[in-house]
Amino acid sequence: MCHWLVRNLADCLCDIKPEAEPSVVIVDEEGKPTDRVESALKCLPHYDPASCWSGDTLPSFRYWKIRDFAYAYRSKLVTPSKIAEQIITLVEGCKYHKAPTPLLISFDAEDIRKQAAASTQRFKEGNPLSILDGIFMAIKDDIDCYPHPTKGASTWMHEVRSVEKDAVSVSRLRSCGVILIGKANMHEFGMGTTGNNPNYGTTRNPYAHERYTGGSSSGPAAIVASGLCSAALGTDGGGSIRIPSSLCGVVGLKTTYGRTNMGGSLCGSGTVEIAGPIASTVEDVILVYAAILGSSPEDRISLKLSPPCLPILSSPENVNILGSLQLGKYTEWFNDVHSTDISDVCEDVLNLLSKSHGCKTIEIVIPELHEMRIAHLVSIGSESLRSLNPDIEDGKGVKLNFDTRTCMALFRTFTASDYVAAQCL
């Protein structure tokens, strides 16, 4: 009887169809990245060049968005090759700052020029591959980007693991015409939230050089925040995109696990890591996300993911889309800050969103949060240990940073039972 009830309950649950979410468009994750990007472009609000190209000569800083570059290229105001030369000059100049800020671990000026020249030619012929053609992006150093080595910001990973081709996500970006400038700095093997790296130098926060960027995707966030690139690709298993994006004042997306194919990355065999975009605006994050999304065949079978979708921000009903948002505020953590100046400013932001856009803030409680934090640590720690331990036992462990060694020592205390219990939670 018990088995019969369980079986029938499962059949009933499978028959329940979730309500279609309003104001979204479903995209084909098995289709071409260029087609998905085109679908995403149609979801964005109308682009008005006059609002960005007013001829104002006053010295001011404004992030160039992806559609700004696309308009400039199509209007022949500038070419990808000209932008490439500016980026090369700036990257090479970072080495000689009084406070050096190593944004990239691997960088090849001639490779950038070659990519930019091909993009410039496509625009000259009137055949850009997508809205992302000629857009410059950096790739975090735990994602393969041929011909650059993948080191995970260590001093030795490239000695035991060669890069023969692009990671899946990078290949999708390249097919859209993205110009890849190199491998961005990071916390060694992603095992830290500061971005501190004694191997190559620590990437500094573009807004305050005496401060950290946050980690582990320190380089990608700093590159976007500095205005060097419109977007970058990072990875996140416990905040590694969200933390540096927050500290650097840019936008980072932690996707649902399995939404992006992790093939060709150092962290592709775990149960928490994803690859996701960092950009200066939500619009640009949507465009990059559309290019890279698409789960691996095995995740599609095992996770039974629902079809990916994008918000239709161009819809007339969504003119005041912020007004429909409910903002969950967990006061216990909201006020857990080093200085009340931080929580006061955040409170001001909530009040601004409420008064100007009609957002509603509601109090929430996150149950079992402490237990979930432990479960996460056990999961990501056990999986990191499994991935790196063969090389560590082969003598590479002495080359790890001290904080990475400390993490590995902690991970070795976890048992198989701990891991299974963490996965259940």
Side-chain angles (χ1 to χ4, degrees):
M1 173 65 80
C2 182
H3 291 298
W4 179 86
L5 285 172
V6 170
R7 186 170 64 251
N8 279 270
L9 176 60
D11 291 341
C12 291
L13 289 173
C14 289
D15 290 336
I16 296 175
K17 297 290 188 287
E19 291 185 20
E21 187 176 354
S23 300
V24 300
V25 60
I26 294 176
V27 292
D28 181 11
E29 65 177 325
E30 297 188 62
K32 294 181 179 178
T34 50
D35 292 340
R36 292 197 299 269
V37 171
E38 185 62 28
S39 297
L41 185 61
K42 294 175 181 177
C43 292
L44 302 185
H46 172 69
Y47 176 76
D48 180 14
S51 65
C52 305
W53 305 92
S54 60
D56 182 6
T57 58
L58 292 175
S60 62
F61 177 83
R62 184 182 70 82
Y63 286 115
W64 272 42
K65 295 187 287 187
I66 288 172
R67 291 197 286 177
D68 294 334
F69 278 105
Y71 174 79
Y73 294 152
R74 285 161 176 77
S75 303
K76 296 180 169 57
L77 297 172
V78 73
T79 66
S81 290
K82 288 184 178 179
I83 299 296
E85 292 303 325
Q86 293 183 337
I87 290 176
I88 291 168
T89 299
L90 288 168
V91 170
E92 291 179 341
C94 286
K95 304 174 186 175
Y96 307 110
H97 286 173
K98 185 176 181 181
T101 175
L103 299 173
L104 295 172
I105 287 175
S106 181
F107 167 76
D108 186 335
E110 290 309 311
D111 182 57
I112 296 173
R113 290 188 175 104
K114 182 179 177 180
Q115 294 179 71
S119 179
T120 297
Q121 185 63 30
R122 289 193 292 270
F123 279 104
K124 185 177 180 180
E125 296 170 353
N127 296 311
L129 296 175
S130 75
I131 196 73
L132 295 178
D133 204 335
I135 300 304
F136 292 82
M137 285 186 60
I139 306 299
K140 188 179 179 183
D141 194 38
D142 59 355
I143 305 172
D144 290 347
C145 180
Y146 187 81
H148 301 277
T150 296
K151 303 176 183 178
S154 73
T155 60
W156 55 266
M157 178 52 72
H158 60 295
E159 298 172 0
V160 299
R161 180 182 181 276
S162 60
V163 175
E164 307 296 337
K165 61 180 181 178
D166 289 332
V168 175
S169 54
V170 174
S171 176
R172 289 170 178 171
L173 291 172
R174 206 186 286 271
S175 72
C176 294
V178 170
I179 298 173
L180 307 166
I181 71 166
K183 305 301 291 297
N185 205 346
M186 59 180 285
H187 205 111
E188 187 180 57
F189 291 123
M191 293 189 200
T193 58
T194 62
N196 183 33
N197 189 311
N199 295 331
Y200 300 97
T202 297
T203 300
R204 296 171 181 269
N205 195 310
Y207 287 103
H209 279 186
E210 74 279 5
R211 295 179 183 270
Y212 280 128
T213 57
S216 63
S217 303
S218 52
I223 283 169
V224 173
S226 66
L228 195 67
C229 291
S230 296
L233 197 61
T235 56
D236 189 317
S240 286
I241 285 176
R242 293 161 288 170
I243 293 168
S245 296
S246 178
L247 268 60
C248 292
V250 292
V251 182
L253 175 64
K254 164 69 163 69
T255 70
T256 301
Y257 176 78
R259 245 337 151 206
T260 51
N261 189 322
M262 295 299 290
S265 68
L266 295 183
C267 48
S269 60
T271 61
V272 293
E273 292 275 2
I274 61 92
I278 297 175
S280 62
T281 67
V282 171
E283 287 183 15
D284 287 357
V285 162
I286 290 174
L287 291 172
V288 177
Y289 172 59
I292 67 171
L293 72 79
S295 55
S296 65
E298 53 268 28
D299 281 341
R300 208 168 299 161
I301 293 170
S302 62
L303 298 178
K304 294 183 173 60
L305 296 162
S306 59
C309 59
L310 301 171
I312 306 175
L313 304 182
S314 58
S315 170
E317 299 86 49
N318 287 346
V319 172
N320 188 31
I321 193 170
L322 285 176
S324 66
L325 293 181
Q326 288 192 95
L327 307 175
K329 179 184 177 185
Y330 186 26
T331 299
E332 183 178 341
W333 273 31
F334 190 91
N335 293 330
D336 184 13
V337 292
H338 174 68
S339 167
T340 55
D341 291 344
I342 298 171
S343 54
D344 289 344
V345 169
C346 291
E347 192 71 57
D348 291 341
V349 172
L350 291 180
N351 292 333
L352 178 65
L353 288 170
S354 175
K355 293 177 182 177
S356 300
H357 301 285
C359 297
K360 183 180 179 182
T361 300
I362 60 173
E363 287 290 337
I364 62 169
V365 175
I366 305 177
E368 298 181 334
L369 186 55
H370 179 65
E371 290 80 4
M372 283 192 286
R373 291 180 68 190
I374 296 173
H376 165 262
L377 178 63
V378 171
S379 295
I380 196 171
S382 300
E383 290 161 6
S384 297
L385 181 65
R386 184 207 63 80
S387 175
L388 292 173
N389 208 44
D391 294 316
I392 292 174
E393 291 183 346
D394 200 29
K396 300 296 185 183
V398 294
K399 296 184 178 182
L400 293 172
N401 292 337
F402 288 128
D403 60 340
T404 307
R405 293 190 211 179
T406 302
C407 288
M408 298 302 281
L410 171 63
F411 300 159
R412 287 191 184 90
T413 67
F414 302 152
T415 65
S417 296
D418 294 334
Y419 180 72
V420 171
Q423 288 287 292
C424 288
L425 183 56

